[in-house]
Amino acid sequence: MKDYLATALKRTLMSIPSVPKDFVPELSAPANPDHGDLATNCAMKLARHLRRPPRMIAEEIKDVFMSKHHDPFYVDSVSIAGGGFINFRFANSYLYHELESCLNQGLQFGRSDHGQGKRALVEFVSANPTGPLTVGHGRNAVLGDTQASLLEWIGYDVTREYYFNDAGRQMRVLGASVRSRYEEIVAEETQPFASLPRAVQHRECFQTKTLEGKDNTSIIVADSFPEDGYLGEYIITIARELVREHGIDLLDAPDNNIFEQAAKLAIFSGIRSTLERLGITMEHYFNEKSLYDSGAVTRTLNALRGRKMIYEQDGATWFKTSKLGKETDTVLVKRTGEPTYRLPDIAYHIDKMNRGYDVIINIFGADHIGTYPDILRGLDVLGFDSDRIKVVIYQFVTLTRAGEEVKMSTRKANFVTLDELMDEVTPDVTRYFFVMRSAQKHLEFDLDLAREASDKNPVFYLQYAHARISSILTKASELHLTPDPSPSNLNLLIHEAEIALIKEIIHFPQAITSCAEACEPHRLATYLRGIAEVFTRFYHACRIIGEEEQIATARLALAQATGITLRNGLSILGISAPERM
RNA sequence: GCGCCCGUAGCUCAGCUGGAUAGAGCGUCUGCCUCCGGAGCAGAAGGCCAGAGGUUCGAAUCCUCUCGGGCGUACCA
């Protein structure tokens, strides 16, 4: 439709004297549907150039359009309003045709080939295996997965990738934390006075100390526990597992390797199963270590050096980011000889580039703002086209429970994991809440609301609409009524609520394209909410079962198309579309 | 100090590349269950789109400044 109108309008304008050859008319949907379905502002745009009042130009455009380029299959009427808007109203024949097309496409409805088989990489989550995924990771995971699905729907070949680092200081601290807990448990379980309170046992057999946990709580740990160790309960679980497997044999372990490995394995498998619960499957896990093993990190540094962007000072290796629009230079290799994370990050993105992706999307938390530009600078310097990289920065999640904010931290004992969240509010609700707001806004996640209030919850509203449609279709089929998608029957749909619903449905493919290309998945949630509302209005205005058969089958077709749209939309959001609730 | 993001109804937020009378949910108030699923519907109240300038036919949207919030600004990840 938009294609037809755009070309018809363009041809119309070309036949009007003194319209610039390169003038491209804009078409947009009016805010108020009473005005029409698509409107153009070109008369106002041209007013200055043609030195004539906009309304007069609009009249001329309308006349030429109607006499030479009007196709009654698409456009019912053209009107002029306001300061010179030209409004086009769709012909019902076009609406029925599109509706039939929706029904024929079924589960494919909404897919397109805008991406033309181009390849896209979406990197998201990318949490290091030092603890369970938190609520913050949840927003990242849902945004990334939804964006990936959107791209698939518009014809991209998409890879979901998880980048992680399982070496370095963080992991050493993790290993030491587990070992300390292990020793603590061993001591506890092998003492003859095991029935005594735990704190007493500690004093008997162990040097202990007190660390400050979240909210001024103090936690007693063994003296061997690292100052910045991981206090989470999951560390104790891992240690306990080691005790069960190895007994006291690990007390003499020469280093913390076995503890580190055990922790890494356990935590990673936990992360995978959490993602699985959310319906997310990564196509690829990328280990930072491979960049060192392959020499990519060294090559990257040398390449930058070759561009004269590297210098040594105070024993460290610096990247001249001050020459690239940043205030200061940036350390790439510390005095200790250990690279900062930026160097392997640049190497990683070179690797992404070399793998030939047309679009590379990164989902980053707001704390990465100001760091990813260094990566882009590195790529630019080395001659890569960093425009292929799109970064979605999302603001943090505030979780509230009983009116109070719940703070989150992997290191401290008191945090809310993504699994705990899903236990409370189900994966469907979790996904919807994380994707329903614009990424660049803070997200307040009210647990009480998400959980207790099913009648206030938008995700239930969507699912309920779908379930209701399924129920109607089932009931109708028991009465031997089946949806009739032929336009000759659909043209019985003339009620205002029916027309409004059809228009909303056939907009679906375009909604997906625009969400995907703008990297704004929340807009899909907004759109689906709208579909459900318009459907509910139709449902109350127009009965299906009990009406004369032809009308009933036409309305059934409309209901079915709504169901298809809801189901497909929800599937992109990773949310189930239940037949019954 | 500097950089990025945000400021829209009492609360949480939509508002697509600038367009016509700024929308929804929750909360408040009025109605509505002989009826295909009431987890709902219809309606009311509620706004100087933080403030001030600017750009133009036209600004919540773009630019500048001010105020207020968030996140960065490490030889931590």
Side-chain angles (χ1 to χ4, degrees):
Chain A
M1 164 57 92
K2 218 167 177 176
D3 294 341
Y4 152 71
L5 255 188
T7 46
L9 194 55
K10 178 74 181 169
R11 287 191 185 134
T12 304
L13 291 171
M14 286 306 98
S15 57
I16 292 176
S18 12
V19 171
K21 281 268 180 290
D22 56 348
F23 184 83
V24 180
E26 292 173 29
L27 282 166
S28 59
N32 184 345
D34 290 344
H35 290 133
D37 298 308
L38 275 177
T40 181
N41 56 4
C42 57
M44 289 178 286
K45 286 272 189 207
L46 288 166
R48 165 171 289 198
H49 186 266
L50 302 183
R51 308 175 65 95
R52 282 192 298 163
R55 286 197 72 109
M56 194 184 285
I57 299 170
E59 290 292 349
E60 184 175 355
I61 293 173
K62 180 187 168 186
D63 288 346
V64 175
F65 177 86
M66 290 306 281
S67 61
K68 291 187 181 162
H69 301 287
H70 176 226
D71 182 343
F73 174 78
Y74 286 112
V75 172
D76 176 57
S77 64
V78 180
S79 62
I80 294 167
F85 285 102
I86 306 172
N87 294 315
F88 300 90
R89 184 169 301 283
F90 295 165
N92 285 359
S93 49
Y94 163 73
L95 301 181
Y96 303 141
H97 177 263
E98 290 295 300
L99 186 61
E100 183 194 21
S101 163
C102 159
L103 287 158
N104 289 337
Q105 291 175 69
L107 294 177
Q108 299 302 309
F109 176 61
R111 288 190 187 269
S112 68
D113 57 355
H114 274 76
Q116 300 170 324
K118 282 192 243 169
R119 299 175 64 226
L121 177 77
V122 183
E123 182 217 324
F124 60 109
V125 186
S126 294
N128 289 336
T130 58
L133 294 181
T134 63
V135 169
H137 297 124
R139 189 173 198 194
N140 188 317
V142 172
L143 285 171
D145 189 54
T146 308
Q147 179 62 39
S149 298
L150 281 166
L151 289 170
E152 284 171 342
W153 274 69
I154 65 167
Y156 279 84
D157 176 12
V158 179
T159 303
R160 292 168 175 78
E161 186 161 289
Y162 186 121
Y163 177 71
F164 69 98
N165 172 15
D166 61 356
R169 206 188 69 87
Q170 266 187 47
M171 297 305 288
R172 292 196 294 275
V173 172
L174 179 70
S177 303
V178 173
R179 179 173 201 150
S180 174
R181 291 298 197 186
Y182 169 85
E183 290 166 354
E184 191 184 327
I185 294 166
V186 167
E188 193 174 303
E189 293 187 350
T190 53
Q191 289 301 313
F193 38 88
S195 60
L196 290 175
R198 204 168 160 207
V200 179
Q201 291 170 27
H202 281 170
R203 285 191 205 102
E204 292 293 334
C205 63
F206 245 65
Q207 292 284 54
T208 64
K209 63 185 173 188
T210 303
L211 290 183
E212 195 181 314
K214 203 74 202 168
D215 302 329
N216 299 324
T217 54
S218 42
I219 298 170
I220 297 171
V221 294
D223 202 40
S224 60
F225 199 85
E227 285 297 327
D228 53 353
Y230 294 90
L231 290 166
E233 197 64 30
Y234 63 97
I235 297 292
I236 298 171
T237 309
I238 293 165
R240 195 162 283 140
E241 186 58 32
L242 282 170
V243 173
R244 194 161 61 196
E245 241 179 89
H246 300 274
I248 63 168
D249 296 350
L250 299 181
L251 284 177
D252 301 325
D255 54 39
N256 293 341
N257 234 327
I258 190 163
F259 300 99
E260 200 178 309
Q261 290 305 311
K264 188 178 89 182
L265 276 173
I267 291 169
F268 238 127
S269 100
I271 287 174
R272 279 176 199 261
S273 79
T274 304
L275 289 176
E276 199 176 314
R277 266 182 95 185
L278 266 181
I280 296 173
T281 308
M282 294 286 175
E283 274 88 25
H284 194 215
Y285 285 80
F286 193 107
N287 191 338
E288 180 185 320
K289 193 165 169 292
S290 68
L291 294 167
Y292 289 95
D293 295 346
S294 69
V297 173
T298 312
R299 277 200 302 279
T300 301
L301 188 58
N302 287 338
L304 287 170
R305 209 185 295 277
R307 305 278 167 151
K308 310 253 186 264
M309 295 306 289
I310 296 293
Y311 66 94
E312 315 285 332
Q313 187 181 308
D314 303 331
T317 305
W318 296 74
F319 181 21
K320 291 186 192 171
T321 43
S322 60
K323 300 236 173 195
L324 302 166
K326 195 181 169 183
E327 274 199 42
T328 56
D329 289 339
T330 309
V331 172
L332 290 184
V333 183
K334 298 183 234 173
R335 200 179 319 170
T336 59
E338 215 173 355
T340 62
Y341 73 99
R342 279 167 219 245
L343 181 56
D345 266 6
I346 296 172
Y348 173 44
H349 283 84
I350 290 173
D351 186 275
K352 287 182 181 175
M353 288 283 185
N354 287 338
R355 278 186 272 159
Y357 291 105
D358 300 288
V359 177
I360 295 168
I361 295 180
N362 289 347
I363 314 289
F364 284 151
D367 53 343
H368 282 72
I369 214 147
T371 70
Y372 78 87
D374 287 340
I375 297 168
L376 299 186
R377 289 185 183 105
L379 291 171
D380 284 336
V381 162
L382 297 176
F384 289 96
D385 174 19
S386 67
D387 287 346
R388 274 191 280 165
I389 299 183
K390 288 184 184 174
V391 178
V392 175
I393 296 280
Y394 64 93
Q395 298 296 320
F396 286 139
V397 178
T398 313
L399 197 57
T400 57
R401 197 200 294 275
E404 283 193 28
E405 185 181 336
V406 184
K407 297 271 189 185
M408 292 162 280
S409 159
T410 348
R411 302 259 173 117
K412 307 292 184 180
N414 179 12
F415 63 88
V416 176
T417 67
L418 191 47
D419 273 317
E420 288 166 350
L421 182 63
M422 285 190 280
D423 290 342
E424 282 201 47
V425 305
T426 77
D428 278 348
V429 173
T430 301
R431 285 203 64 133
Y432 191 87
F433 269 61
F434 277 142
V435 83
M436 72 177 172
R437 302 300 186 206
S438 162
Q440 55 198 336
K441 295 228 172 146
H442 283 264
L443 177 65
E444 182 170 320
F445 197 123
D446 186 338
L447 274 174
D448 301 316
L449 190 81
R451 175 185 168 205
E452 88 185 56
S454 53
D455 59 328
K456 302 168 188 164
N457 200 317
V459 66
F460 287 107
Y461 185 80
L462 295 181
Q463 293 181 319
Y464 184 77
H466 183 268
R468 175 183 266 165
I469 290 166
S470 299
S471 166
I472 294 170
L473 287 168
T474 306
K475 189 153 202 163
S477 92
E478 285 163 7
L479 299 169
H480 306 291
L481 286 170
T482 50
D484 182 352
S486 62
S488 60
N489 195 53
L490 291 179
N491 66 18
L492 294 169
L493 302 174
I494 50 169
H495 191 281
E496 185 193 1
E498 294 167 334
I499 298 296
L501 182 53
I502 297 172
K503 284 177 180 173
E504 196 72 19
I505 289 170
I506 66 180
H507 185 246
F508 184 54
Q510 196 190 317
I512 293 177
T513 307
S514 103
C515 294
E517 288 176 346
C519 295
E520 295 195 335
H522 75 279
R523 270 157 45 180
L524 181 57
T526 307
Y527 168 81
L528 288 177
R529 168 86 202 182
I531 278 276
E533 271 170 18
V534 177
F535 169 75
T536 311
R537 216 171 298 143
F538 155 76
Y539 169 83
H540 284 280
C542 307
R543 280 195 64 83
I544 298 173
I545 293 169
E547 291 291 322
E548 189 267 324
E549 183 174 339
Q550 282 189 308
I551 291 186
T553 55
R555 287 182 176 164
L556 273 178
L558 180 52
Q560 190 176 37
T562 311
I564 287 167
T565 308
L566 281 171
R567 171 175 287 274
N568 292 356
L570 285 170
S571 91
I572 295 172
L573 296 181
I575 296 171
S576 64
E579 307 283 321
R580 257 190 308 279
M581 291 179 71

